[in-house]
Amino acid sequence: MTTQRSRVTLSVLLVLSLAGPAAAEEAVVAVAANFAEVAERLEKDFERQSGHTLTFVAGSTGKLHAQIVNGAPLDAFLSADQESPARLEKEGLAVAKSRFTYATGRLTLWSREPGRVGSDGAATLRQGKFRRLAIANPELAPYGAAAKQALEKLGLWERFKDRIVMGETIGQAHAMVASGNAELGFVALSYVLSPRNETKGSRWDVPPRLHTPIRQDAVLLTRGAGNPAARGFLDFLRSGKAKAVIETYGYSIE
């Protein structure tokens, strides 16, 4: 009798040990460069809570969209715009009705030098006391497109376009300013507020009226439709815990 019970117990333990790890999945998530650090912060909480694991591929929204179209093995996409995820849905590369806005970004004019950017950033720009102005490539990065729109609204694009240096991503634009290669730059507010940014410098938060809102959408890609880790992470982005972290980086939540 004891031997039979032992066999039953061993069988149950074996089933449980096999079932446990099988429930954990891994998802590969494409994330816009401006949100990469926030995603890393959220990753720890999500993995601890769910048991799933995540791998992030960061880059400009334009480049990530192209990779998805060309068949890159990605399960979900955290874009820096709304248009790219919407196109993926129309192209059948994303799960219908899985798209939602996870954050709205803020653009800021930043210098690593304290006092260089005054309370009226437009006046700082008009003075023209700089050699280089960094922005992200407007063709690839929504933050770059917003920077160009702001300069056009201020009537300064044509005046300063020969002084503009472009990074492929908003992260590269930030790096140009942080290194001193550009005295000023239009960067994501999230970079300036980041705990990793040791040089706070001076900034002017660009009024939203000067550019199209930087609404950032997430979408579940077709490859990740059956992946519980990908679905779970997108659900986690909507949680109060995740939203609180996102807001600390200067994003607004609708």
Side-chain angles (χ1 to χ4, degrees):
M1 189 72 170
T2 302
T3 301
Q4 186 175 1
R5 285 179 180 173
S6 298
R7 287 174 180 170
V8 171
T9 301
L10 286 172
S11 297
V12 171
L13 289 174
L14 180 59
V15 169
L16 290 174
S17 67
L18 291 174
E25 297 286 347
E26 179 178 0
V28 183
V29 181
V31 56
N34 73 90
F35 199 75
E37 183 181 336
V38 191
E40 290 173 9
R41 285 254 328 249
L42 297 174
E43 174 188 13
K44 296 175 184 177
D45 288 335
F46 172 72
E47 290 184 346
R48 189 183 306 113
Q49 173 182 306
S50 67
H52 299 309
T53 57
L54 300 172
T55 298
F56 294 116
V57 177
S60 68
T61 289
K63 284 291 184 69
L64 292 172
H65 178 268
Q67 289 175 19
I68 294 166
V69 171
N70 289 321
L74 300 166
D75 300 302
F77 181 26
L78 274 56
S79 178
D81 67 3
Q82 293 185 302
E83 292 74 22
S84 298
R87 287 202 306 271
L88 291 172
E89 277 189 334
K90 290 180 181 178
E91 294 161 356
L93 297 174
V95 177
K97 298 182 180 180
S98 66
R99 179 166 50 95
F100 65 96
T101 300
Y102 65 92
T104 299
R106 288 295 308 275
L107 185 70
T108 191
L109 178 69
W110 179 63
S111 172
R112 71 173 188 170
E113 302 172 39
R116 177 180 272 274
V117 180
S119 58
D120 183 352
T124 300
L125 287 168
R126 290 191 180 101
Q127 289 172 5
K129 296 178 180 179
F130 60 89
R131 293 177 300 110
R132 296 187 183 91
L133 174 66
I135 71 170
N137 188 334
E139 300 299 321
L140 296 174
Y143 281 81
K148 182 179 180 181
Q149 288 173 7
L151 286 168
E152 289 174 336
K153 284 277 184 71
L154 294 171
L156 299 175
W157 175 258
E158 290 298 325
R159 178 181 170 187
F160 293 132
K161 67 180 181 181
D162 292 336
R163 301 195 209 178
I164 290 173
V165 289
M166 294 185 185
E168 182 176 294
T169 68
I170 194 64
Q172 290 178 5
H174 175 267
M176 290 178 190
V177 183
S179 65
N181 288 324
E183 297 95 328
L184 297 171
F186 283 100
V187 304
L189 179 58
S190 59
Y191 281 107
V192 181
L193 296 182
S194 164
R196 298 178 187 174
N197 180 33
E198 297 179 355
T199 306
K200 298 306 179 184
S202 53
R203 76 174 203 258
W204 173 62
D205 296 341
V206 179
R209 61 181 171 78
L210 292 180
H211 60 81
T212 302
I214 309 172
R215 294 193 177 95
Q216 304 190 192
D217 278 11
V219 71
L220 182 67
L221 300 175
T222 304
R223 181 181 183 271
N227 187 324
R231 286 186 174 275
F233 183 60
L234 294 187
D235 288 341
F236 178 71
L237 275 178
R238 293 171 160 145
S239 70
K241 188 173 186 179
K243 289 178 179 179
V245 172
I246 293 170
E247 288 177 330
T248 64
Y249 282 81
Y251 295 96
S252 59
I253 306 294
E254 296 180 355

